[in-house]
Amino acid sequence: MDYPLPLPSGRQNGARVLIYSHDTFGLGHLRRSRAIANAIAEERADCSIVIISGSPVIGNFEFGSGVDYIRIPGVTKLPDGDYRSLNLNVNLDEAVGLRQDLILQAAQSFRPDVFIVDKEPTGFRGEVVPALDYLESQGCRRVLGIRDVMDEPALLVPEWERKGAKEILVRSYDEVWVYGLEDVYRPLDALDLPATVTDRITYTGYLRREVPPTPSLTRYPKITKQPFILVTTGGGGDGDDLIDWVISAYEHDADIEMPALIVFGPFVNRDMRRSFMERIARHPKLDAIAFDTKIEHLMQKAAAIVAMGGYNTFCEILSFDKRALIVPRTRPRLEQHIRAVAAERLGLASMLSDYDAARTPDRMALALKGLADQPRPSEVVIPGLLDGLDRVQERLKSLLDIEQPFMAPRQAAE
């Protein structure tokens, strides 16, 4: 019987992938890691994937067969930009030390063939560096996966210098996967990386999303039985301004034809949500729900989407071919603004920003009215736009040096 070539770990079959999800704030990193893990598991039946995450809501999401997760103690970002332990009554240094030990222990016990690190080369405050060093000694392939836009160069360069991220990237990673297109944005250009690193960069295209096979358990309001605008802020921890702006537009202009459904997200401030709900209850064209882990169903139903323009939501707008208005956050980072500018330049979405103009109700009302006549993303032909998961599969196969798919059952003894 012919077997594939040995895996980096020495196993003959049953590859293992470990994914570190940088998750100190919001849902973006977790949802991206989950999409990649589920795609790998669906393509490779004998592959096992473990996601390491500190997200407090990871257990609310469904994962494909072959995918599981390890929940490490969470940390959260404070309004002043600092961090603290999310639940434990310990200082931040002790929380990071515990997370670091658990990540290393997971690497030692799971023995992955490929380690995919999301966004931060060193992890949160350097917590993945010991695991990177250990896995290098074991022949594990190490990949840094980053979104299409990181931040404006003036902030990204000093941040990476402070963290020692560039040094770790050069020293510790076999490949870099940029989940976007080179023609849209080159997120690492400002770092002046050596050719030995730039040669390892693959632009995969954006990560296509699908509607979950099982229905959502969330009960949708009656407003969704007609054409409606879906307003989503992702995790919701920084979406107050967008929600307020949309509500203000409906309060200001009775001629906005399509109603809007607002999804707050799990991290919205409770007092702010209560205030919003009081205003929404008074308007016949507005309704809201707290959170939906399968928001893809709502996205597919919606006539148009209004969002802040985080990476995952942008992928969903493209995947479900929705007319979209992106209202990017401009503080403390310009990541969403940079992405929104590129999307509008390419004709994939429209943008409304308070970066250079006032956040007035009439501006939002005019933008909402324009959504009905806006072209869909599919009307713009951009080669490779949504090929991200296919390219990830190709690079994974190359890293594992495998000549046939993982379809043989795991042997009892290795």
Side-chain angles (χ1 to χ4, degrees), residues 10 31 98 221 236 268 286 306 341 356 407 412:
R31 295 183 66 214
L98 178 56
V268 68
L286 293 174
V306 176
V341 169
D356 53 5
M407 297 304 292

Side-chain angles (χ1 to χ4, degrees), residues 124-321:
F124 178 65
R125 303 211 171 191
E127 66 186 5
V128 300
V129 174
L132 284 169
D133 292 341
Y134 168 77
L135 291 172
E136 179 180 17
S137 72
Q138 302 301 303
C140 175
R141 277 54 163 164
R142 294 144 300 148
V143 177
L144 176 66
I146 62 174
R147 62 191 181 222
D148 58 341
V149 181
M150 297 287 282
D151 201 351
E152 59 179 319
L155 293 181
L156 181 65
V157 172
E159 178 183 341
W160 274 45
E161 289 178 352
R162 175 174 51 83
K163 295 177 178 178
K166 179 177 175 180
E167 176 187 350
I168 293 296
L169 175 58
V170 173
R171 185 187 82 197
S172 299
Y173 287 92
D174 299 291
E175 294 202 4
V176 179
W177 298 346
V178 178
Y179 305 126
L181 290 179
E182 190 171 7
D183 291 341
V184 175
Y185 196 75
R186 298 163 62 100
L188 300 179
D189 265 10
L191 296 171
D192 192 26
L193 295 169
T196 54
V197 174
T198 57
D199 290 345
R200 303 176 213 162
I201 297 176
T202 295
Y203 288 84
T204 66
Y206 291 91
L207 304 176
R208 182 183 297 276
R209 304 303 166 87
E210 306 289 343
V211 176
T214 54
S216 173
L217 298 179
T218 303
R219 186 173 182 177
Y220 298 144
K222 292 181 180 179
I223 210 170
T224 62
K225 298 185 182 299
Q226 58 185 304
F228 69 97
I229 299 171
L230 176 65
V231 182
T232 173
T233 62
D238 55 359
D240 294 352
D241 288 345
L242 171 58
I243 294 172
D244 175 70
W245 201 356
V246 170
I247 295 174
S248 297
Y250 278 89
E251 292 171 335
H252 171 76
D253 191 337
D255 294 332
I256 303 174
E257 184 175 349
M258 276 194 292
L261 175 64
I262 297 169
V263 181
F264 289 118
F267 304 127
V268 68
N269 179 276
R270 290 183 180 182
D271 292 337
M272 189 64 71
R273 182 173 68 182
R274 188 179 301 112
S275 174
F276 287 147
M277 284 302 301
E278 291 174 356
R279 296 167 64 190
I280 290 169
R282 294 194 292 265
H283 202 289
K285 289 186 178 180
L286 293 174
D287 212 329
I289 60 175
F291 180 45
D292 186 1
T293 59
K294 298 180 180 179
I295 197 172
E296 295 92 345
H297 287 286
L298 274 176
M299 289 183 163
Q300 187 180 54
K301 289 170 65 71
I305 295 173
V306 176
M308 294 171 64
Y311 178 83
N312 290 283
T313 304
F314 185 58
C315 288
E316 287 153 350
I317 288 168
L318 299 180
S319 298
F320 302 130
D321 197 26

Side-chain angles (χ1 to χ4, degrees), residues 181 183-184 206 314 318 342-343 345-348 377-387:
L181 290 179
D183 291 341
V184 175
Y206 291 91
F314 185 58
L318 299 180
R345 170 175 57 84
L346 294 169
L348 298 171
S378 61
E379 297 180 44
V380 180
V381 178
I382 302 177
L385 183 65
L386 283 168
D387 288 352

